[in-house]
PDB file of all heavy atoms in Angstrom:
ATOM      1  N   SER A 155     -26.166  -9.001  14.037  1.00 95.00           N
ATOM      2  CA  SER A 155     -26.667  -8.178  12.935  1.00 95.00           C
ATOM      3  C   SER A 155     -27.725  -7.217  13.457  1.00 95.00           C
ATOM      4  O   SER A 155     -28.646  -7.628  14.182  1.00 95.00           O
ATOM      5  CB  SER A 155     -27.279  -9.050  11.828  1.00 95.00           C
ATOM      6  OG  SER A 155     -26.308  -9.903  11.282  1.00 95.00           O
ATOM      7  N   VAL A 156     -27.575  -5.930  13.084  1.00 94.00           N
ATOM      8  CA  VAL A 156     -28.509  -4.891  13.510  1.00 94.00           C
ATOM      9  C   VAL A 156     -29.072  -4.247  12.249  1.00 94.00           C
ATOM     10  O   VAL A 156     -28.328  -3.637  11.473  1.00 94.00           O
ATOM     11  CB  VAL A 156     -27.800  -3.837  14.390  1.00 94.00           C
ATOM     12  CG1 VAL A 156     -28.768  -2.727  14.776  1.00 94.00           C
ATOM     13  CG2 VAL A 156     -27.209  -4.496  15.629  1.00 94.00           C
ATOM     14  N   GLU A 157     -30.379  -4.357  12.047  1.00 94.00           N
ATOM     15  CA  GLU A 157     -31.010  -3.801  10.852  1.00 94.00           C
ATOM     16  C   GLU A 157     -32.084  -2.786  11.242  1.00 94.00           C
ATOM     17  O   GLU A 157     -32.667  -2.866  12.318  1.00 94.00           O
ATOM     18  CB  GLU A 157     -31.642  -4.922  10.013  1.00 94.00           C
ATOM     19  CG  GLU A 157     -30.638  -5.938   9.496  1.00 94.00           C
ATOM     20  CD  GLU A 157     -31.308  -6.993   8.638  1.00 94.00           C
ATOM     21  OE1 GLU A 157     -32.539  -6.937   8.471  1.00 94.00           O
ATOM     22  OE2 GLU A 157     -30.593  -7.874   8.122  1.00 94.00           O
ATOM     23  N   GLY A 158     -32.316  -1.842  10.322  1.00 92.00           N
ATOM     24  CA  GLY A 158     -33.382  -0.864  10.535  1.00 92.00           C
ATOM     25  C   GLY A 158     -33.224  -0.054  11.806  1.00 92.00           C
ATOM     26  O   GLY A 158     -34.185   0.120  12.571  1.00 92.00           O
ATOM     27  N   LEU A 159     -32.045   0.480  12.013  1.00 91.00           N
ATOM     28  CA  LEU A 159     -31.783   1.231  13.238  1.00 91.00           C
ATOM     29  C   LEU A 159     -32.715   2.444  13.359  1.00 91.00           C
ATOM     30  O   LEU A 159     -32.825   3.243  12.426  1.00 91.00           O
ATOM     31  CB  LEU A 159     -30.319   1.694  13.260  1.00 91.00           C
ATOM     32  CG  LEU A 159     -29.824   2.367  14.544  1.00 91.00           C
ATOM     33  CD1 LEU A 159     -29.889   1.394  15.722  1.00 91.00           C
ATOM     34  CD2 LEU A 159     -28.393   2.881  14.361  1.00 91.00           C
ATOM     35  N   PHE A 160     -33.379   2.569  14.469  1.00 88.00           N
ATOM     36  CA  PHE A 160     -34.295   3.664  14.830  1.00 88.00           C
ATOM     37  C   PHE A 160     -35.564   3.709  13.972  1.00 88.00           C
ATOM     38  O   PHE A 160     -36.272   4.718  13.974  1.00 88.00           O
ATOM     39  CB  PHE A 160     -33.594   5.033  14.769  1.00 88.00           C
ATOM     40  CG  PHE A 160     -32.431   5.170  15.705  1.00 88.00           C
ATOM     41  CD1 PHE A 160     -31.232   5.699  15.260  1.00 88.00           C
ATOM     42  CD2 PHE A 160     -32.539   4.782  17.025  1.00 88.00           C
ATOM     43  CE1 PHE A 160     -30.146   5.837  16.113  1.00 88.00           C
ATOM     44  CE2 PHE A 160     -31.460   4.912  17.895  1.00 88.00           C
ATOM     45  CZ  PHE A 160     -30.258   5.435  17.440  1.00 88.00           C
ATOM     46  N   GLU A 161     -35.873   2.632  13.255  1.00 88.00           N
ATOM     47  CA  GLU A 161     -37.124   2.620  12.495  1.00 88.00           C
ATOM     48  C   GLU A 161     -38.340   2.742  13.414  1.00 88.00           C
ATOM     49  O   GLU A 161     -39.359   3.321  13.044  1.00 88.00           O
ATOM     50  CB  GLU A 161     -37.232   1.335  11.662  1.00 88.00           C
ATOM     51  CG  GLU A 161     -36.456   1.381  10.366  1.00 88.00           C
ATOM     52  CD  GLU A 161     -36.683   0.143   9.520  1.00 88.00           C
ATOM     53  OE1 GLU A 161     -37.433  -0.758   9.989  1.00 88.00           O
ATOM     54  OE2 GLU A 161     -36.127   0.060   8.410  1.00 88.00           O
ATOM     55  N   ASN A 162     -38.229   2.188  14.617  1.00 82.00           N
ATOM     56  CA  ASN A 162     -39.321   2.276  15.579  1.00 82.00           C
ATOM     57  C   ASN A 162     -39.142   3.441  16.545  1.00 82.00           C
ATOM     58  O   ASN A 162     -39.813   3.505  17.582  1.00 82.00           O
ATOM     59  CB  ASN A 162     -39.442   0.966  16.370  1.00 82.00           C
ATOM     60  CG  ASN A 162     -38.172   0.676  17.175  1.00 82.00           C
ATOM     61  OD1 ASN A 162     -37.136   1.298  16.954  1.00 82.00           O
ATOM     62  ND2 ASN A 162     -38.263  -0.264  18.109  1.00 82.00           N
ATOM     63  N   PHE A 163     -38.215   4.334  16.213  1.00 78.00           N
ATOM     64  CA  PHE A 163     -37.929   5.477  17.095  1.00 78.00           C
ATOM     65  C   PHE A 163     -37.685   6.697  16.195  1.00 78.00           C
ATOM     66  O   PHE A 163     -36.575   7.221  16.117  1.00 78.00           O
ATOM     67  CB  PHE A 163     -36.703   5.179  17.941  1.00 78.00           C
ATOM     68  CG  PHE A 163     -36.545   6.050  19.160  1.00 78.00           C
ATOM     69  CD1 PHE A 163     -35.530   5.794  20.072  1.00 78.00           C
ATOM     70  CD2 PHE A 163     -37.387   7.127  19.423  1.00 78.00           C
ATOM     71  CE1 PHE A 163     -35.356   6.576  21.198  1.00 78.00           C
ATOM     72  CE2 PHE A 163     -37.226   7.911  20.542  1.00 78.00           C
ATOM     73  CZ  PHE A 163     -36.213   7.642  21.435  1.00 78.00           C
ATOM     74  N   PRO A 164     -38.728   7.191  15.499  1.00 81.00           N
ATOM     75  CA  PRO A 164     -38.559   8.286  14.526  1.00 81.00           C
ATOM     76  C   PRO A 164     -37.939   9.543  15.124  1.00 81.00           C
ATOM     77  O   PRO A 164     -37.207  10.270  14.440  1.00 81.00           O
ATOM     78  CB  PRO A 164     -39.991   8.548  14.049  1.00 81.00           C
ATOM     79  CG  PRO A 164     -40.731   7.282  14.331  1.00 81.00           C
ATOM     80  CD  PRO A 164     -40.119   6.714  15.569  1.00 81.00           C
ATOM     81  N   ALA A 165     -38.211   9.815  16.408  1.00 74.00           N
ATOM     82  CA  ALA A 165     -37.660  11.025  17.032  1.00 74.00           C
ATOM     83  C   ALA A 165     -36.136  10.999  17.040  1.00 74.00           C
ATOM     84  O   ALA A 165     -35.492  12.051  16.952  1.00 74.00           O
ATOM     85  CB  ALA A 165     -38.186  11.149  18.462  1.00 74.00           C
ATOM     86  N   ARG A 166     -35.552   9.794  17.121  1.00 78.00           N
ATOM     87  CA  ARG A 166     -34.102   9.685  17.085  1.00 78.00           C
ATOM     88  C   ARG A 166     -33.589   9.637  15.651  1.00 78.00           C
ATOM     89  O   ARG A 166     -32.568  10.239  15.327  1.00 78.00           O
ATOM     90  CB  ARG A 166     -33.673   8.418  17.825  1.00 78.00           C
ATOM     91  CG  ARG A 166     -32.186   8.109  17.788  1.00 78.00           C
ATOM     92  CD  ARG A 166     -31.377   9.054  18.637  1.00 78.00           C
ATOM     93  NE  ARG A 166     -31.758   8.962  20.053  1.00 78.00           N
ATOM     94  CZ  ARG A 166     -31.206   9.694  21.014  1.00 78.00           C
ATOM     95  NH1 ARG A 166     -30.268  10.571  20.703  1.00 78.00           N
ATOM     96  NH2 ARG A 166     -31.602   9.575  22.260  1.00 78.00           N
ATOM     97  N   LYS A 167     -34.328   8.958  14.783  1.00 83.00           N
ATOM     98  CA  LYS A 167     -33.855   8.756  13.417  1.00 83.00           C
ATOM     99  C   LYS A 167     -33.742  10.064  12.651  1.00 83.00           C
ATOM    100  O   LYS A 167     -32.861  10.225  11.797  1.00 83.00           O
ATOM    101  CB  LYS A 167     -34.787   7.793  12.677  1.00 83.00           C
ATOM    102  CG  LYS A 167     -34.262   7.386  11.307  1.00 83.00           C
ATOM    103  CD  LYS A 167     -35.106   6.302  10.678  1.00 83.00           C
ATOM    104  CE  LYS A 167     -34.510   5.860   9.346  1.00 83.00           C
ATOM    105  NZ  LYS A 167     -35.292   4.778   8.727  1.00 83.00           N
ATOM    106  N   GLN A 168     -34.623  11.029  12.938  1.00 83.00           N
ATOM    107  CA  GLN A 168     -34.608  12.272  12.176  1.00 83.00           C
ATOM    108  C   GLN A 168     -33.349  13.106  12.417  1.00 83.00           C
ATOM    109  O   GLN A 168     -33.053  14.020  11.651  1.00 83.00           O
ATOM    110  CB  GLN A 168     -35.851  13.101  12.529  1.00 83.00           C
ATOM    111  CG  GLN A 168     -35.878  13.639  13.944  1.00 83.00           C
ATOM    112  CD  GLN A 168     -37.093  14.509  14.221  1.00 83.00           C
ATOM    113  OE1 GLN A 168     -37.670  15.049  13.286  1.00 83.00           O
ATOM    114  NE2 GLN A 168     -37.471  14.636  15.484  1.00 83.00           N
ATOM    115  N   PHE A 169     -32.604  12.771  13.476  1.00 82.00           N
ATOM    116  CA  PHE A 169     -31.378  13.526  13.767  1.00 82.00           C
ATOM    117  C   PHE A 169     -30.125  12.857  13.198  1.00 82.00           C
ATOM    118  O   PHE A 169     -29.015  13.368  13.376  1.00 82.00           O
ATOM    119  CB  PHE A 169     -31.213  13.715  15.278  1.00 82.00           C
ATOM    120  CG  PHE A 169     -32.181  14.711  15.860  1.00 82.00           C
ATOM    121  CD1 PHE A 169     -33.331  14.290  16.506  1.00 82.00           C
ATOM    122  CD2 PHE A 169     -31.946  16.066  15.733  1.00 82.00           C
ATOM    123  CE1 PHE A 169     -34.228  15.210  17.034  1.00 82.00           C
ATOM    124  CE2 PHE A 169     -32.829  16.998  16.250  1.00 82.00           C
ATOM    125  CZ  PHE A 169     -33.978  16.570  16.903  1.00 82.00           C
ATOM    126  N   LEU A 170     -30.309  11.714  12.531  1.00 87.00           N
ATOM    127  CA  LEU A 170     -29.153  11.090  11.906  1.00 87.00           C
ATOM    128  C   LEU A 170     -28.702  11.917  10.711  1.00 87.00           C
ATOM    129  O   LEU A 170     -29.493  12.590  10.055  1.00 87.00           O
ATOM    130  CB  LEU A 170     -29.504   9.670  11.444  1.00 87.00           C
ATOM    131  CG  LEU A 170     -29.809   8.656  12.551  1.00 87.00           C
ATOM    132  CD1 LEU A 170     -30.155   7.308  11.931  1.00 87.00           C
ATOM    133  CD2 LEU A 170     -28.630   8.512  13.508  1.00 87.00           C
ATOM    134  N   LYS A 171     -27.407  11.850  10.411  1.00 88.00           N
ATOM    135  CA  LYS A 171     -26.841  12.602   9.297  1.00 88.00           C
ATOM    136  C   LYS A 171     -26.867  11.758   8.025  1.00 88.00           C
ATOM    137  O   LYS A 171     -27.361  10.637   8.014  1.00 88.00           O
ATOM    138  CB  LYS A 171     -25.414  13.031   9.636  1.00 88.00           C
ATOM    139  CG  LYS A 171     -25.348  13.945  10.853  1.00 88.00           C
ATOM    140  CD  LYS A 171     -23.928  14.353  11.153  1.00 88.00           C
ATOM    141  CE  LYS A 171     -23.869  15.284  12.367  1.00 88.00           C
ATOM    142  NZ  LYS A 171     -22.489  15.705  12.695  1.00 88.00           N
ATOM    143  N   ARG A 172     -26.328  12.325   6.956  1.00 90.00           N
ATOM    144  CA  ARG A 172     -26.251  11.586   5.699  1.00 90.00           C
ATOM    145  C   ARG A 172     -25.465  10.292   5.901  1.00 90.00           C
ATOM    146  O   ARG A 172     -24.600  10.204   6.782  1.00 90.00           O
ATOM    147  CB  ARG A 172     -25.595  12.434   4.619  1.00 90.00           C
ATOM    148  CG  ARG A 172     -26.341  13.705   4.272  1.00 90.00           C
ATOM    149  CD  ARG A 172     -25.706  14.364   3.047  1.00 90.00           C
ATOM    150  NE  ARG A 172     -24.268  14.499   3.194  1.00 90.00           N
ATOM    151  CZ  ARG A 172     -23.669  15.517   3.790  1.00 90.00           C
ATOM    152  NH1 ARG A 172     -24.390  16.496   4.326  1.00 90.00           N
ATOM    153  NH2 ARG A 172     -22.353  15.568   3.847  1.00 90.00           N
ATOM    154  N   SER A 173     -25.735   9.317   5.057  1.00 90.00           N
ATOM    155  CA  SER A 173     -25.078   8.019   5.226  1.00 90.00           C
ATOM    156  C   SER A 173     -23.556   8.143   5.167  1.00 90.00           C
ATOM    157  O   SER A 173     -22.840   7.426   5.872  1.00 90.00           O
ATOM    158  CB  SER A 173     -25.570   7.034   4.168  1.00 90.00           C
ATOM    159  OG  SER A 173     -25.238   7.478   2.867  1.00 90.00           O
ATOM    160  N   SER A 174     -23.036   9.050   4.342  1.00 90.00           N
ATOM    161  CA  SER A 174     -21.581   9.222   4.254  1.00 90.00           C
ATOM    162  C   SER A 174     -21.001   9.716   5.569  1.00 90.00           C
ATOM    163  O   SER A 174     -19.921   9.277   5.994  1.00 90.00           O
ATOM    164  CB  SER A 174     -21.231  10.196   3.128  1.00 90.00           C
ATOM    165  OG  SER A 174     -21.829  11.464   3.350  1.00 90.00           O
ATOM    166  N   ALA A 175     -21.731  10.629   6.231  1.00 91.00           N
ATOM    167  CA  ALA A 175     -21.264  11.140   7.520  1.00 91.00           C
ATOM    168  C   ALA A 175     -21.330  10.062   8.587  1.00 91.00           C
ATOM    169  O   ALA A 175     -20.415   9.927   9.420  1.00 91.00           O
ATOM    170  CB  ALA A 175     -22.087  12.353   7.931  1.00 91.00           C
ATOM    171  N   GLU A 176     -22.403   9.269   8.581  1.00 93.00           N
ATOM    172  CA  GLU A 176     -22.523   8.195   9.562  1.00 93.00           C
ATOM    173  C   GLU A 176     -21.465   7.116   9.302  1.00 93.00           C
ATOM    174  O   GLU A 176     -20.889   6.560  10.251  1.00 93.00           O
ATOM    175  CB  GLU A 176     -23.925   7.592   9.524  1.00 93.00           C
ATOM    176  CG  GLU A 176     -25.034   8.550   9.924  1.00 93.00           C
ATOM    177  CD  GLU A 176     -24.933   9.030  11.371  1.00 93.00           C
ATOM    178  OE1 GLU A 176     -24.183   8.422  12.161  1.00 93.00           O
ATOM    179  OE2 GLU A 176     -25.604  10.018  11.709  1.00 93.00           O
ATOM    180  N   SER A 177     -21.181   6.843   8.034  1.00 93.00           N
ATOM    181  CA  SER A 177     -20.118   5.886   7.698  1.00 93.00           C
ATOM    182  C   SER A 177     -18.778   6.357   8.235  1.00 93.00           C
ATOM    183  O   SER A 177     -17.977   5.567   8.748  1.00 93.00           O
ATOM    184  CB  SER A 177     -20.028   5.692   6.184  1.00 93.00           C
ATOM    185  OG  SER A 177     -21.142   5.024   5.677  1.00 93.00           O
ATOM    186  N   SER A 178     -18.531   7.659   8.104  1.00 92.00           N
ATOM    187  CA  SER A 178     -17.277   8.223   8.595  1.00 92.00           C
ATOM    188  C   SER A 178     -17.147   8.049  10.100  1.00 92.00           C
ATOM    189  O   SER A 178     -16.063   7.730  10.617  1.00 92.00           O
ATOM    190  CB  SER A 178     -17.201   9.710   8.219  1.00 92.00           C
ATOM    191  OG  SER A 178     -16.019  10.297   8.708  1.00 92.00           O
ATOM    192  N   GLN A 179     -18.252   8.232  10.830  1.00 92.00           N
ATOM    193  CA  GLN A 179     -18.221   8.050  12.276  1.00 92.00           C
ATOM    194  C   GLN A 179     -17.976   6.582  12.638  1.00 92.00           C
ATOM    195  O   GLN A 179     -17.212   6.277  13.572  1.00 92.00           O
ATOM    196  CB  GLN A 179     -19.541   8.523  12.886  1.00 92.00           C
ATOM    197  CG  GLN A 179     -19.725  10.032  12.883  1.00 92.00           C
ATOM    198  CD  GLN A 179     -18.744  10.730  13.809  1.00 92.00           C
ATOM    199  OE1 GLN A 179     -18.411  10.230  14.871  1.00 92.00           O
ATOM    200  NE2 GLN A 179     -18.270  11.886  13.392  1.00 92.00           N
ATOM    201  N   CYS A 180     -18.612   5.674  11.913  1.00 95.00           N
ATOM    202  CA  CYS A 180     -18.379   4.249  12.160  1.00 95.00           C
ATOM    203  C   CYS A 180     -16.922   3.890  11.883  1.00 95.00           C
ATOM    204  O   CYS A 180     -16.298   3.110  12.625  1.00 95.00           O
ATOM    205  CB  CYS A 180     -19.308   3.401  11.289  1.00 95.00           C
ATOM    206  SG  CYS A 180     -21.056   3.514  11.717  1.00 95.00           S
ATOM    207  N   ARG A 181     -16.385   4.443  10.803  1.00 95.00           N
ATOM    208  CA  ARG A 181     -14.980   4.204  10.463  1.00 95.00           C
ATOM    209  C   ARG A 181     -14.068   4.698  11.569  1.00 95.00           C
ATOM    210  O   ARG A 181     -13.074   4.035  11.930  1.00 95.00           O
ATOM    211  CB  ARG A 181     -14.654   4.911   9.145  1.00 95.00           C
ATOM    212  CG  ARG A 181     -13.197   4.882   8.714  1.00 95.00           C
ATOM    213  CD  ARG A 181     -13.002   5.661   7.429  1.00 95.00           C
ATOM    214  NE  ARG A 181     -11.619   5.688   7.012  1.00 95.00           N
ATOM    215  CZ  ARG A 181     -10.718   6.568   7.450  1.00 95.00           C
ATOM    216  NH1 ARG A 181     -11.078   7.493   8.338  1.00 95.00           N
ATOM    217  NH2 ARG A 181      -9.472   6.535   7.001  1.00 95.00           N
ATOM    218  N   GLN A 182     -14.384   5.863  12.149  1.00 94.00           N
ATOM    219  CA  GLN A 182     -13.557   6.410  13.219  1.00 94.00           C
ATOM    220  C   GLN A 182     -13.539   5.490  14.438  1.00 94.00           C
ATOM    221  O   GLN A 182     -12.486   5.241  15.035  1.00 94.00           O
ATOM    222  CB  GLN A 182     -14.062   7.800  13.617  1.00 94.00           C
ATOM    223  CG  GLN A 182     -13.266   8.477  14.720  1.00 94.00           C
ATOM    224  CD  GLN A 182     -11.829   8.747  14.334  1.00 94.00           C
ATOM    225  OE1 GLN A 182     -11.514   8.951  13.164  1.00 94.00           O
ATOM    226  NE2 GLN A 182     -10.938   8.746  15.317  1.00 94.00           N
ATOM    227  N   ILE A 183     -14.718   4.974  14.812  1.00 94.00           N
ATOM    228  CA  ILE A 183     -14.778   4.052  15.946  1.00 94.00           C
ATOM    229  C   ILE A 183     -13.975   2.792  15.641  1.00 94.00           C
ATOM    230  O   ILE A 183     -13.230   2.287  16.499  1.00 94.00           O
ATOM    231  CB  ILE A 183     -16.246   3.688  16.256  1.00 94.00           C
ATOM    232  CG1 ILE A 183     -16.995   4.920  16.772  1.00 94.00           C
ATOM    233  CG2 ILE A 183     -16.322   2.549  17.276  1.00 94.00           C
ATOM    234  CD1 ILE A 183     -16.480   5.463  18.093  1.00 94.00           C
ATOM    235  N   PHE A 184     -14.105   2.285  14.422  1.00 96.00           N
ATOM    236  CA  PHE A 184     -13.338   1.102  14.022  1.00 96.00           C
ATOM    237  C   PHE A 184     -11.838   1.343  14.171  1.00 96.00           C
ATOM    238  O   PHE A 184     -11.109   0.505  14.721  1.00 96.00           O
ATOM    239  CB  PHE A 184     -13.684   0.745  12.571  1.00 96.00           C
ATOM    240  CG  PHE A 184     -12.825  -0.338  11.982  1.00 96.00           C
ATOM    241  CD1 PHE A 184     -13.143  -1.671  12.169  1.00 96.00           C
ATOM    242  CD2 PHE A 184     -11.687  -0.021  11.245  1.00 96.00           C
ATOM    243  CE1 PHE A 184     -12.344  -2.674  11.640  1.00 96.00           C
ATOM    244  CE2 PHE A 184     -10.883  -1.008  10.717  1.00 96.00           C
ATOM    245  CZ  PHE A 184     -11.215  -2.348  10.906  1.00 96.00           C
ATOM    246  N   ILE A 185     -11.370   2.483  13.693  1.00 96.00           N
ATOM    247  CA  ILE A 185      -9.943   2.797  13.761  1.00 96.00           C
ATOM    248  C   ILE A 185      -9.484   2.911  15.214  1.00 96.00           C
ATOM    249  O   ILE A 185      -8.407   2.423  15.592  1.00 96.00           O
ATOM    250  CB  ILE A 185      -9.643   4.094  12.985  1.00 96.00           C
ATOM    251  CG1 ILE A 185      -9.769   3.839  11.487  1.00 96.00           C
ATOM    252  CG2 ILE A 185      -8.251   4.623  13.322  1.00 96.00           C
ATOM    253  CD1 ILE A 185      -9.607   5.068  10.634  1.00 96.00           C
ATOM    254  N   GLU A 186     -10.292   3.547  16.061  1.00 95.00           N
ATOM    255  CA  GLU A 186      -9.920   3.695  17.471  1.00 95.00           C
ATOM    256  C   GLU A 186      -9.744   2.340  18.147  1.00 95.00           C
ATOM    257  O   GLU A 186      -8.796   2.136  18.909  1.00 95.00           O
ATOM    258  CB  GLU A 186     -10.977   4.525  18.196  1.00 95.00           C
ATOM    259  CG  GLU A 186     -10.999   5.992  17.786  1.00 95.00           C
ATOM    260  CD  GLU A 186     -12.166   6.743  18.406  1.00 95.00           C
ATOM    261  OE1 GLU A 186     -12.873   6.152  19.259  1.00 95.00           O
ATOM    262  OE2 GLU A 186     -12.380   7.913  18.038  1.00 95.00           O
ATOM    263  N   LYS A 187     -10.671   1.408  17.884  1.00 95.00           N
ATOM    264  CA  LYS A 187     -10.547   0.078  18.475  1.00 95.00           C
ATOM    265  C   LYS A 187      -9.316  -0.643  17.932  1.00 95.00           C
ATOM    266  O   LYS A 187      -8.590  -1.315  18.671  1.00 95.00           O
ATOM    267  CB  LYS A 187     -11.799  -0.753  18.196  1.00 95.00           C
ATOM    268  CG  LYS A 187     -13.067  -0.201  18.817  1.00 95.00           C
ATOM    269  CD  LYS A 187     -12.970  -0.092  20.322  1.00 95.00           C
ATOM    270  CE  LYS A 187     -14.237   0.500  20.905  1.00 95.00           C
ATOM    271  NZ  LYS A 187     -14.118   0.739  22.366  1.00 95.00           N
ATOM    272  N   ALA A 188      -9.083  -0.495  16.624  1.00 96.00           N
ATOM    273  CA  ALA A 188      -7.925  -1.147  16.019  1.00 96.00           C
ATOM    274  C   ALA A 188      -6.615  -0.591  16.566  1.00 96.00           C
ATOM    275  O   ALA A 188      -5.649  -1.336  16.778  1.00 96.00           O
ATOM    276  CB  ALA A 188      -7.975  -0.988  14.501  1.00 96.00           C
ATOM    277  N   LEU A 189      -6.563   0.709  16.815  1.00 96.00           N
ATOM    278  CA  LEU A 189      -5.357   1.316  17.370  1.00 96.00           C
ATOM    279  C   LEU A 189      -5.044   0.758  18.759  1.00 96.00           C
ATOM    280  O   LEU A 189      -3.896   0.486  19.091  1.00 96.00           O
ATOM    281  CB  LEU A 189      -5.528   2.834  17.454  1.00 96.00           C
ATOM    282  CG  LEU A 189      -5.503   3.625  16.150  1.00 96.00           C
ATOM    283  CD1 LEU A 189      -5.824   5.087  16.415  1.00 96.00           C
ATOM    284  CD2 LEU A 189      -4.149   3.503  15.464  1.00 96.00           C
ATOM    285  N   ALA A 190      -6.080   0.606  19.574  1.00 95.00           N
ATOM    286  CA  ALA A 190      -5.884   0.207  20.967  1.00 95.00           C
ATOM    287  C   ALA A 190      -5.557  -1.274  21.124  1.00 95.00           C
ATOM    288  O   ALA A 190      -5.031  -1.679  22.159  1.00 95.00           O
ATOM    289  CB  ALA A 190      -7.135   0.548  21.776  1.00 95.00           C
ATOM    290  N   TRP A 191      -5.857  -2.077  20.088  1.00 95.00           N
ATOM    291  CA  TRP A 191      -5.643  -3.525  20.182  1.00 95.00           C
ATOM    292  C   TRP A 191      -4.847  -4.009  18.974  1.00 95.00           C
ATOM    293  O   TRP A 191      -5.368  -4.688  18.085  1.00 95.00           O
ATOM    294  CB  TRP A 191      -6.998  -4.240  20.278  1.00 95.00           C
ATOM    295  CG  TRP A 191      -7.765  -3.833  21.496  1.00 95.00           C
ATOM    296  CD1 TRP A 191      -8.648  -2.796  21.611  1.00 95.00           C
ATOM    297  CD2 TRP A 191      -7.684  -4.431  22.782  1.00 95.00           C
ATOM    298  NE1 TRP A 191      -9.124  -2.712  22.899  1.00 95.00           N
ATOM    299  CE2 TRP A 191      -8.558  -3.706  23.647  1.00 95.00           C
ATOM    300  CE3 TRP A 191      -6.976  -5.522  23.301  1.00 95.00           C
ATOM    301  CZ2 TRP A 191      -8.723  -4.035  24.982  1.00 95.00           C
ATOM    302  CZ3 TRP A 191      -7.134  -5.845  24.633  1.00 95.00           C
ATOM    303  CH2 TRP A 191      -8.000  -5.117  25.462  1.00 95.00           C
TER     304      TRP A 191
END
């Protein structure tokens, strides 16, 4: 379990996109792994 990503690293957190965009990227990685296996 990973919680509070980049909370202690504000310089990185400010470049994150909206949650919907980040969800879409996570979904893409999930699909890529599922395709390969």
Side-chain angles (χ1 to χ4, degrees):
S155 298
V156 177
E157 298 182 359
L159 186 63
F160 299 133
E161 279 185 358
N162 62 346
F163 198 174
R166 176 72 62 180
K167 188 173 183 178
Q168 68 177 337
F169 287 100
L170 294 179
K171 298 180 179 180
R172 298 188 310 274
S173 63
S174 59
E176 296 297 345
S177 291
S178 178
Q179 288 293 324
C180 292
R181 174 182 178 275
Q182 181 63 30
I183 293 296
F184 172 86
I185 288 175
E186 291 173 7
K187 297 301 178 186
L189 288 174
W191 299 90

